[in-house]
Amino acid sequence: MRVAVLRKERCKPEDCNYLCMKFCPKVRSGVEAIKVGEDKKPIINEDLCIGCGICVKKCPFQALSIVNLPDALRKDVFHSYGKNQFRLFKFIVPRKGKVLGLIGENGIGKTTVLNILSGKLLPNLGREKVNHRDILDFFKGSEAMNYFRDLFQGRIKVSYKIQNISEFSRDEKVRDFLEEGFEEGERKEVSKLSSELRVSKLFSRKLMELSGGELQKVLVVKCLSREANVYFLDEPCSYLDIGERLKIARIIRKKLTTDNYLVVVDHDLIFMDLVSDFVQIFYGRSNVYGIISSIYSTRVGINNYIEGYLPVENVKFREFPIKFERRSEVRKSSVNELVKWSDLKKRIGNFELVVKSSGINEKEIVGVIGINGTGKTIFSKLISGLETPDSGEIYPKIKVAYKPQYLKVTNPDLKVRDIIGKVEVGSLFWKQVILPLRVNLLSNLKLSELSGGQLQKIALVECLLREAELYVFDEPSAYLDVEERLKVAKVLRDFLKFRESSALIIDHDLLFIDYTSDRIIYFSGKPAEFGTCEGPLDVVTAMNFFLKEVGVTMRRDKHTNRPRVNKPNSRLDVEQRKQNKYYYV
Ligand code: SF4
Ligand code: SF4
């Protein structure tokens, strides 16, 4: 079967004069595989199209996608957004008393699934008209049928933490928002969860005055305090530091009863590993089509995801697996120091950062971990020469390329090709950075038209293109989906090692830091008051310090070597705590 998708917001027939139609071999031979619709945009007839892909190549605005899929999938269409629009195949199987994790890149149908499960969107099975009976028939013999029967009969009460939290950044006091529409029991839950997540101190502030992380925690409290039998949490980790993510995972698990359903979507695989009982993986092509895998145990599902292969489906959805190393030995890098610093102090407002003397070696990638508000970004700016210390010095002066945490588009008319155009097609940079990150596909788009994740990748490419002795990346995984994080981690490590460059990488995704770093600097302190840092230390020591502070233990997966958080009070958790080995190599 053929799936043709037109991204109407990108299609500009007035600028291209229908190049797609002009070059379509079927149209040229008189068959109406493409015609012009009432809105003046092209319509592709999927039954007449032969899937040659010429129109895709000719379209100057990357507005068209045509994919050929096995015919067997025809019966599995669960929802279609309309003619030449995104299609979702198969569905998830929510289970009572279990947390189901949904993993996959952005634009692949995860939020669509949550909207369907919450009754906001009626799936159409790819047909013009459907009724509830058709949908129940689709699920005949599966556990999902009970769920949909209850949903259609009004027996499902949903509590939903949506993905885009900025919608809630409004002129309303936190306490009023949290208690609005709640009964006595729910208000008690608000106060219990608020104290666990340290939201109580925000009660008198307005939602619009909160940081992203604070607003995220308020919305998680609101969602989990509501009396419901189904809880959906769409990206509850965004804007939170590692400690807060792990705390939220524990709170979500406590919410589970034998009678409710919990479904969680997030891009942090360590969080998903801790929170889920089962996972289902979404694969396909972003904004074109998504297929939902069978249900896997969390460990097996995440391992499959990392390896890019689903054995039950016999589908390889990524060209390369991500390989983690055991860390029983310190990774070898040069012992020649590239840059050193003496004891440093820096005060900004009421916050003071104190840094112990140390340095970064040549050819070394140093990760930075720590809770929010303890000075990681200030430190990166000191090393980059964007801030000067109040006392102490950093020497010698070296050339630094810096990728900031917050990305600002200063020239919205600049196109991606203005940045990547200087890279020779076929060069090593092209093969090692541009192609794996697929940024060449964005060439004709303006920076102002990019999503957060696309902009992040362009910022990383732009930074790597600069000649420097040290590359500093502040939160390179922010806005990236799970698939992009794995790719960016691999590209950064492979490319920096190939070029024998040094780098400092600050991030909240522990898997990302574990994969990329040779050594780690560990930050601690009291958020917004003071921060100190230790290191660079070897990965095991730094992780031990940090994991002890946030109260979790980790082991390595036997099959993939990826780091995994132990379930609280499990045998391994208890043993490792006793031995003071929070990070097991
Ligand atoms: S894929 Fe080929 S046949 Fe199909 S619409 Fe495009 S150009 Fe025509
Ligand atoms: S799909 Fe591309 S080539 Fe076809 S009309 Fe739209 S912009 Fe032009």
Side-chain angles (χ1 to χ4, degrees):
M1 70 177 289
R2 209 99 50 221
V3 173
V5 170
L6 175 74
R7 295 187 67 174
K8 288 198 177 182
E9 75 286 2
R10 289 188 183 175
C11 174
K12 299 172 192 162
E14 62 285 2
D15 292 344
C16 73
N17 208 7
Y18 298 103
L19 277 178
C20 50
M21 279 178 78
K22 279 194 185 134
F23 284 91
C24 172
K26 294 301 276 183
V27 173
R28 287 165 83 111
S29 63
V31 179
E32 224 179 21
I34 311 182
K35 64 177 184 184
V36 178
E38 281 175 10
D39 59 358
K40 303 270 186 282
K41 310 261 173 171
I43 299 174
I44 293 102
N45 184 324
E46 292 173 355
D47 294 322
L48 298 178
C49 161
I50 51 167
C52 67
I54 291 175
C55 56
V56 177
K57 286 198 189 110
K58 289 292 170 192
C59 174
F61 302 111
Q62 284 95 34
L64 270 173
S65 302
I66 311 265
V67 285
N68 299 314
L69 294 175
D71 270 336
L73 274 175
R74 255 180 222 282
K75 64 174 188 349
D76 294 325
V77 178
F78 190 64
H79 187 67
S80 161
Y81 279 97
K83 222 178 189 41
N84 296 160
Q85 296 297 310
F86 180 84
R87 244 145 296 176
L88 181 69
F89 296 89
K90 306 192 181 178
F91 204 64
I92 67 161
V93 190
R95 289 187 179 177
K96 261 190 192 162
K98 301 287 175 198
V99 179
L100 176 65
L102 307 183
I103 298 174
E105 61 185 309
N106 281 339
I108 201 91
K110 300 185 301 299
T111 301
T112 302
V113 161
L114 295 189
N115 284 332
I116 289 173
L117 284 173
S118 59
K120 284 186 191 168
L121 177 68
L122 187 69
N124 56 22
L125 311 180
R127 303 177 201 157
E128 297 270 311
K129 270 189 187 160
V130 283
N131 56 35
H132 289 174
R133 186 71 258 158
D134 297 324
I135 292 160
L136 294 178
D137 283 347
F138 183 89
F139 289 118
K140 223 172 210 162
S142 116
E143 270 183 69
M145 190 171 111
N146 299 334
Y147 181 92
F148 277 90
R149 200 182 40 226
D150 287 348
L151 180 71
F152 296 150
Q153 290 174 355
R155 289 203 294 262
I156 294 273
K157 189 172 175 204
V158 173
S159 186
Y160 189 175
K161 203 293 291 171
I162 61 164
Q163 181 186 5
N164 183 8
I165 63 169
S166 59
E167 278 182 31
F168 287 91
S169 183
R170 54 194 188 214
D171 187 8
E172 185 179 358
K173 285 250 171 76
V174 170
R175 183 191 280 277
D176 296 343
F177 168 74
L178 281 175
E179 295 190 344
E180 197 179 292
F182 273 7
E183 305 282 334
E184 179 69 25
E186 291 167 317
R187 284 204 288 270
K188 274 193 187 146
E189 195 66 6
V190 165
S191 100
K192 190 179 119 210
L193 295 183
S194 296
S195 83
E196 279 183 56
L197 277 177
R198 295 200 188 143
V199 163
S200 317
K201 61 178 185 192
L202 308 172
F203 278 174
S204 57
R205 288 171 59 192
K206 289 184 173 172
L207 292 170
M208 64 187 194
E209 294 165 355
L210 304 182
S211 69
E214 289 167 337
L215 187 57
Q216 184 72 269
K217 288 194 287 182
V218 168
L219 293 178
V220 169
V221 168
K222 178 89 186 179
C223 172
L224 293 178
S225 300
R226 186 173 284 125
E227 273 189 22
N229 43 10
V230 185
Y231 295 89
F232 298 137
L233 292 112
D234 197 352
E235 298 194 17
C237 287
S238 310
Y239 309 105
L240 298 181
D241 67 35
I242 309 166
E244 291 167 322
R245 290 176 188 195
L246 300 176
K247 204 181 272 177
I248 283 190
R250 287 196 288 263
I251 289 175
I252 291 174
R253 290 222 50 100
K254 274 201 242 159
K255 197 73 203 169
L256 205 58
T257 67
T258 49
D259 224 25
N260 63 14
Y261 299 89
L262 269 127
V263 182
V264 181
V265 172
D266 207 86
H267 296 301
D268 183 329
L269 288 180
I270 286 188
F271 169 82
M272 292 301 275
D273 196 17
L274 183 62
V275 82
S276 317
D277 291 299
F278 296 98
V279 295
Q280 284 187 269
I281 289 164
F282 287 59
Y283 61 97
R285 194 185 297 174
S286 183
N287 294 312
V288 179
Y289 74 99
I291 305 177
I292 304 175
S293 78
S294 4
I295 195 155
Y296 290 97
S297 72
T298 303
R299 176 180 168 264
V300 172
I302 294 182
N303 281 353
N304 290 342
Y305 195 79
I306 281 177
E307 298 197 327
Y309 174 68
L310 297 172
V312 173
E313 289 77 7
N314 192 17
V315 167
K316 189 176 176 186
F317 60 88
R318 192 184 320 110
E319 281 310 306
F320 54 89
I322 302 290
K323 293 200 185 303
F324 288 83
E325 293 169 17
R326 291 206 166 260
R327 293 301 182 83
S328 45
E329 284 178 21
V330 177
R331 268 182 179 169
K332 287 184 181 63
S333 59
S334 162
V335 286
N336 300 327
E337 276 186 329
L338 171 75
V339 61
K340 293 189 203 181
W341 52 88
S342 62
D343 289 348
L344 305 174
K345 274 193 182 167
K346 177 75 184 174
R347 174 168 280 279
I348 293 185
N350 293 328
F351 178 81
E352 187 176 57
L353 173 67
V354 177
V355 179
K356 280 189 204 154
S357 65
S358 194
I360 296 174
N361 292 337
E362 287 174 355
K363 308 176 196 174
E364 178 179 50
I365 302 178
V366 174
V368 177
I369 54 174
I371 55 174
N372 273 342
T374 49
K376 299 186 296 298
T377 292
I378 298 174
F379 174 72
S380 72
K381 287 187 175 169
L382 289 174
I383 298 298
S384 306
L386 299 169
E387 295 274 359
T388 42
D390 299 334
S391 67
E393 57 170 335
I394 299 163
Y395 55 96
K397 215 170 162 32
I398 53 165
K399 214 168 173 191
V400 178
Y402 177 70
K403 199 284 302 168
Q405 180 182 9
Y406 298 108
L407 307 173
K408 269 193 219 134
V409 176
T410 41
N411 178 359
D413 289 329
L414 202 70
K415 288 195 168 170
V416 171
R417 69 160 172 257
D418 298 328
I419 294 168
I420 65 167
K422 49 187 111 144
V423 182
E424 200 183 315
V425 176
S427 64
L428 274 173
F429 195 94
W430 184 265
K431 286 184 194 150
Q432 292 182 333
V433 180
I434 303 286
L435 286 184
L437 297 184
R438 296 166 63 93
V439 286
N440 52 321
L441 302 178
L442 309 171
S443 285
N444 288 331
L445 298 181
K446 290 179 184 170
L447 295 189
S448 54
E449 292 170 334
L450 301 182
S451 68
Q454 291 168 334
L455 198 58
Q456 183 70 270
K457 288 194 285 183
I458 297 300
L460 290 166
V461 169
E462 198 270 330
C463 184
L464 286 172
L465 275 171
R466 279 183 258 160
E467 278 297 319
E469 289 157 281
L470 178 70
Y471 292 84
V472 177
F473 302 99
D474 196 350
E475 293 205 23
S477 84
Y479 307 109
L480 297 182
D481 65 35
V482 58
E483 189 58 25
E484 290 167 326
R485 282 180 199 195
L486 294 176
K487 281 185 187 154
V488 165
K490 184 164 166 42
V491 164
L492 282 186
R493 176 138 190 104
D494 290 355
F495 186 71
L496 291 165
K497 285 293 161 189
F498 170 79
R499 210 156 64 175
E500 301 192 328
S501 303
S502 298
L504 188 72
I505 302 180
I506 303 169
D507 211 274
H508 287 307
D509 188 320
L510 274 190
L511 205 79
F512 193 94
I513 288 289
D514 184 88
Y515 183 83
T516 50
S517 313
D518 298 317
R519 291 195 294 165
I520 290 179
I521 299 178
Y522 156 62
F523 275 73
S524 58
K526 192 159 186 209
E529 287 184 25
F530 69 90
T532 57
C533 72
E534 297 257 2
L537 304 168
D538 66 85
V539 171
V540 177
T541 309
M543 285 287 204
N544 251 327
F545 274 137
F546 177 67
L547 295 178
K548 195 168 183 178
E549 185 189 350
V550 294
V552 294
T553 58
M554 279 177 119
R555 67 190 184 285
R556 292 222 165 239
D557 181 75
K558 286 195 183 81
H559 186 65
T560 58
N561 282 335
R562 71 183 162 93
R564 304 188 66 195
V565 173
N566 294 322
K567 298 261 188 246
N569 302 320
S570 63
R571 185 182 55 79
L572 277 176
D573 183 52
V574 174
E575 267 175 29
Q576 284 183 225
R577 275 172 205 275
K578 247 191 232 159
Q579 295 168 8
N580 208 18
K581 282 187 172 173
Y582 283 73
Y583 179 78
Y584 196 76
V585 292

